[in-house]
Amino acid sequence: MHFARTEEQDELAATIKALLAKRSDSEAVRAAVQTDSRFDTALWQALCEQIGVAALPVPEEYDGVGASLVETAVVLEEMGENLTPAPLLASTVAVVALQLFGTEAARADLLPRLAAGEIGTVALTGVPTDLVLDAPAATVVLAVDGADLVLVEAPAAEPVDSMDQTLRFGRLGSRAGSAVGTITDPRILPAISTALATALQVGAMQRALDMTVGYSKERVQFGRQIGSFQALKHRMADMLVKVESARSASWGATAAAAAYVEDPTPESEATLLRLAAVAGSYCADAFNHVAAETVQLHGGIAITWEHDAHLVFKRAHALSQLHGPARTQRSTLLN
């Protein structure tokens, strides 16, 4: 298990960052969430066709790149920093579900479609609501039904509004369909989804920190930049500690998820479940703290619709509930 990026991963991050800087700035994000799909379909197509983000975790024999979940986490972290509304998290969990639990026929049929950019999602068990991430846009909808992995037939998801407009949820009218695999442990998919979601949290935390530090250098009060006040320096230093600690936890959890997918042994499963719970709980609390400090340190401008602080604040609270509150995830460490 490694905790540092390789040169290739750094290059992948730089490529994603450059594309999102051009096509997923604040104005583009706000425009995307007002469309019917609630995300920029042209940007998603570019990410899939030019960089192959959807194909990263798909094995080469199914028209994928054959990379690990760590590479997907690299992309998610950059997307989190830009608050990019895109279905990568949900589609990746669908890919993992098929890899780990799907039949060969299901993998051969569905994985090439997901690698090409079709949107997938999984209706998980063990999560706090019946809402399914990106279900309204998904064409490959899987559901966990007891020990069966089910391909939902004619999925018709009712869109459900979210406090965070950059995340899309739907409520499935039915989970009926044909079994395409067998779930050996229902805890695995929520744990992997939790680990990958922490990459989104870390990216958005970095965005919040950068916004706050930048503002503290520009805002003048009492004839001085507010960033020169010692009390505010300490608060921003605490934010930095939260961000870097969350990044370490996230990298550990995503590395554990990648290791389990590559070699699903009892030992790698135990490591995955533990590190996903640690990262999920810590990143949720840390992001909520950083988002709150971002609003506080920006002052009155942060509560205006025109400023992006409220987007960060909403993302923090939405992701902190996606897989259950931090206290629930911590409680699993005691079992």
Side-chain angles (χ1 to χ4, degrees):
M1 184 181 296
H2 71 277
F3 293 94
R5 286 182 177 175
T6 65
E7 182 178 346
E8 291 78 10
Q9 290 164 355
D10 283 337
E11 290 176 356
L12 173 61
T15 300
I16 296 294
K17 184 183 292 291
L19 178 60
L20 296 183
K22 295 178 181 178
R23 302 187 56 174
S24 189
D25 59 9
S26 176
E27 183 178 353
V29 169
R30 290 167 183 259
V33 299
Q34 297 301 319
T35 64
D36 292 338
S37 61
R38 299 285 296 276
F39 68 96
D40 187 339
T41 54
L43 173 59
W44 175 246
Q45 185 177 12
L47 286 165
C48 293
E49 294 180 355
Q50 297 178 21
I51 304 176
V53 297
L56 284 173
V58 179
E60 293 182 35
E61 59 264 36
Y62 303 110
D63 300 335
V65 175
S68 75
L69 288 180
V70 173
E71 281 69 37
T72 297
V74 169
V75 177
L76 286 170
E77 189 171 327
E78 296 300 327
M79 287 184 169
E81 187 166 347
N82 284 269
L83 303 176
T84 303
L88 182 59
L89 173 59
S91 284
T92 300
V93 176
V95 168
V96 171
L98 290 166
Q99 280 186 255
L100 292 175
F101 307 120
T103 63
E104 176 55 36
R107 290 196 292 267
D109 176 34
L110 299 174
L111 286 179
R113 292 166 53 186
L114 293 172
E118 278 197 47
I119 300 171
T121 191
V122 183
L124 299 170
T125 57
V127 295
T129 74
D130 61 346
L131 303 183
V132 182
L133 183 63
D134 285 312
T139 55
V140 177
V141 178
L142 303 170
V144 177
D145 182 14
D148 290 332
L149 180 65
V150 174
L151 177 63
V152 179
E153 296 176 355
E158 174 193 359
V160 177
D161 289 335
S162 168
M163 178 177 67
D164 179 1
Q165 294 173 294
T166 65
L167 295 177
R168 297 148 309 283
F169 294 93
R171 183 176 286 110
L172 295 178
S174 171
R175 299 191 180 192
S178 54
V180 293
T182 302
I183 304 293
T184 57
D185 189 334
R187 300 174 298 172
I188 295 300
L189 292 179
I192 291 176
S193 184
T194 297
L196 292 173
T198 63
L200 288 174
Q201 291 170 314
V202 169
M205 289 170 68
Q206 186 66 58
R207 164 75 169 273
L209 176 62
D210 292 344
M211 285 169 51
T212 305
V213 172
Y215 180 74
S216 74
K217 295 178 180 179
E218 298 173 356
R219 180 74 166 92
V220 174
Q221 188 70 25
F222 306 113
R224 296 170 56 187
Q225 295 173 329
I226 64 172
S228 66
F229 298 130
Q230 187 176 43
L232 300 191
K233 288 181 180 179
H234 288 173
R235 291 173 70 173
M236 286 183 281
D238 289 341
M239 292 171 68
L240 175 61
V241 170
K242 294 283 188 184
V243 172
E244 291 304 323
S245 298
R247 180 172 283 115
S248 294
S250 177
W251 285 10
T254 53
Y260 178 81
V261 172
E262 183 177 348
D263 185 22
T265 64
E267 293 76 15
S268 62
E269 176 180 336
T271 300
L272 165 63
L273 295 176
R274 177 172 57 85
L275 293 186
V278 169
S281 60
Y282 185 84
C283 290
D285 283 346
F287 191 11
N288 281 333
H289 173 84
V290 169
E293 287 290 83
T294 298
V295 173
Q296 289 287 322
L297 295 177
H298 275 80
I301 193 175
I303 61 173
T304 63
W305 182 258
E306 290 76 19
H307 200 274
D308 286 347
H310 74 92
L311 298 178
V312 173
F313 186 81
K314 292 173 181 177
R315 173 63 69 91
H317 284 272
L319 288 181
S320 71
Q321 300 299 316
L322 184 61
H323 299 98
R327 64 179 182 276
T328 301
Q329 299 202 46
R330 281 193 292 270
S331 69
T332 64
L333 297 172
L334 303 176
N335 296 335

